[in-house]
Amino acid sequence: TITSSKSENWLKKAQDAAWRGDQEEAISLSTAALATEPLEPALKIELYETLIYSLAADVQLELALQKAREMFAFAEAQENNIFQARALEAQALVFQTQGQAAVALEKATAAAELVQNSAPTGLKARCAYRLGVNQHYAMAYQQALASAAKAQAMFKAQQDFGGEGRALELEARIWNALKETEKSRQLAESAFNLSRQAGDQLGMADAIVTIALCISDHAQDTKMLNQALELYQSAGYAPGIFRCFNNLSFAHYNLGLYRRALRLITKAEGIARRAGSFSALAFALTNRVNIEIAFRRSEVAEQLFSEFADLVPKLGGLSVGSAVYVLPGRLALLKHDLPLAITSMKKAIAAAREVA
């Protein structure tokens, strides 16, 4: 139909806009296309996907979740497992970005199960990748490695360099969490090269951030993170911009540059609050509390820690490590309460050992 032809044109333009980092244009075009009727079901699913990915990149997460639910309802009405898997993968992305780890893992698992038997290889690879990402967040590292390797093999068979690069970067991130720094660095460098070959700015930025995690020199670390920040900004990917501001703040904090660290974490905190992401805000508040302690502003630090503690039950399985004990310990030291500081630090050590 003429309408479908016009919508296909809008879809292509929306996808091109998203690829070059113009999420506002991608959202506008895909929204307009979805408003036209009649639409072929496959085209409608792809438009929903493009819209949701761009909304998530722009951290308009409430609207992204609304559209992901609409997408799943439409897919369910079509009684099409492929459509349903794509809708579940989109939901997993949104919940993941919100920091709702348990729900994101549930959706990613359901998507991967739906495509096990008959589905295009590219979709199977995407679902395996999304599952691996959320298994990593749930600290199910061996399962995450298996999912990432499965995704990487399928992307490679499809000669999808961008997908292969992102899957390799995920493997690198997992090995970093397992303290295999050199293996992580090598994989991340391979991921960067593949992403560069594909022209995938987001994949390149992810790989650089993971390489930076393998570097103990904070001055070199900041240089790499600034490179990643430029790529994330060019790609229009706000969660990555948050990640860089957060990590840059931590690096400057470790260099003793507390004012610079505070400026950076304030930017990260702003993105997290705009997104309504519990996980992002929790990580930002952890850094912010440490900085306020460095400035010896105990009242501000206590208020921020109280907000952080209120967020922890909302994280849905996402680990914040030993921060719930380390931060009260540092606050106690600031107030010269040595018994409380010792008790808190002992709990922190025990929590760290459990994670290890």
Side-chain angles (χ1 to χ4, degrees):
T1 66
I2 294 173
T3 303
S4 287
S5 177
K6 184 178 180 181
S7 295
E8 284 170 7
N9 186 41
W10 280 348
L11 171 63
K12 177 67 168 60
K13 288 182 177 179
Q15 290 172 333
D16 288 346
W19 184 253
R20 66 175 184 269
D22 189 348
Q23 306 303 340
E24 184 179 352
E25 179 73 1
I27 291 165
S28 175
L29 286 165
S30 49
T31 300
L34 278 167
T36 63
E37 293 292 349
L39 289 173
E40 293 292 329
L43 175 58
K44 192 165 186 174
I45 287 292
E46 197 155 1
L47 283 164
Y48 266 125
E49 241 171 21
T50 303
L51 174 59
I52 292 160
Y53 279 31
S54 287
L55 286 168
D58 198 44
V59 292
Q60 297 185 47
L61 300 182
E62 288 298 324
L63 183 55
L65 184 56
Q66 177 191 322
K67 294 301 176 182
R69 286 172 171 153
E70 283 179 18
M71 180 184 178
F72 183 77
F74 175 75
E76 207 170 28
Q78 300 299 308
E79 298 181 348
N80 184 311
N81 283 353
I82 302 299
F83 291 172
Q84 288 179 50
R86 291 171 72 172
L88 286 165
E89 191 270 341
Q91 285 190 8
L93 168 67
V94 180
F95 282 121
Q96 166 196 318
T97 310
Q98 284 183 325
Q100 297 194 49
V103 186
L105 180 57
E106 176 193 324
K107 300 296 183 185
T109 301
E113 287 174 352
L114 273 176
V115 298
Q116 271 183 350
N117 297 322
S118 58
T121 302
L123 179 59
K124 285 183 178 180
R126 265 175 44 206
C127 289
Y129 171 77
R130 185 66 53 207
L131 178 58
V133 169
N134 286 286
Q135 287 168 331
H136 168 238
Y137 288 144
M139 295 190 298
Y141 295 131
Q142 295 306 319
Q143 292 176 344
L145 279 172
S147 296
K150 184 178 177 181
Q152 187 258 336
M154 286 189 285
F155 281 130
K156 187 172 185 177
Q158 295 275 293
Q159 295 188 311
D160 181 344
F161 299 123
E164 186 183 355
R166 292 198 190 189
L168 272 180
E169 186 279 325
L170 174 57
E171 288 185 57
R173 228 184 311 162
I174 298 163
W175 283 115
N176 185 272
L178 292 168
K179 312 300 181 187
E180 294 281 353
T181 306
E182 184 56 25
K183 189 168 189 174
S184 174
R185 184 188 62 77
Q186 290 175 2
L187 285 167
E189 287 177 353
S190 296
F192 176 82
N193 290 332
L194 283 163
S195 295
R196 181 170 57 184
Q197 192 172 349
D200 181 5
Q201 295 184 103
L202 178 52
M204 290 164 65
D206 284 345
I208 291 171
V209 171
T210 300
I211 293 168
L213 291 174
C214 303
I215 296 170
S216 55
D217 182 338
H218 291 300
Q220 189 179 354
D221 181 27
T222 57
K223 183 179 178 181
M224 296 198 73
L225 287 170
N226 277 311
Q227 290 173 350
L229 177 60
E230 288 181 10
L231 285 165
Y232 281 132
Q233 288 171 331
S234 181
Y237 188 64
I241 295 169
F242 162 84
R243 191 178 177 198
C244 282
F245 283 146
N246 190 62
N247 291 10
L248 279 165
S249 175
F250 183 70
H252 281 84
Y253 169 82
N254 283 308
L255 289 167
L257 303 172
Y258 301 134
R259 293 192 184 282
R260 178 62 176 159
L262 181 59
R263 285 197 295 272
L264 287 161
I265 203 60
T266 301
K267 291 180 180 180
E269 188 183 332
I271 294 171
R273 291 189 187 281
R274 179 167 71 88
S277 171
F278 299 141
S279 59
L281 186 56
F283 289 126
L285 288 174
T286 300
N287 278 353
R288 177 86 187 275
V289 170
N290 280 320
I291 295 165
E292 295 297 347
I293 289 171
F295 282 120
R296 307 190 67 79
R297 296 196 284 241
S298 59
E299 286 187 13
V300 177
E302 284 176 336
Q303 289 172 1
L304 292 166
F305 175 75
S306 177
E307 184 179 3
F308 165 79
D310 288 343
L311 282 173
V312 172
K314 300 176 183 177
L315 296 179
L318 184 69
S319 173
V320 289
S322 55
V324 287
Y325 305 116
V326 170
L327 295 177
R330 289 178 177 164
L331 281 165
L333 279 175
L334 183 60
K335 298 173 76 173
H336 307 291
D337 187 342
L338 193 57
L340 178 57
I342 292 170
T343 301
S344 296
M345 290 306 179
K346 282 181 177 178
K347 288 180 180 178
I349 291 167
R353 283 175 178 163
E354 280 182 25
V355 172

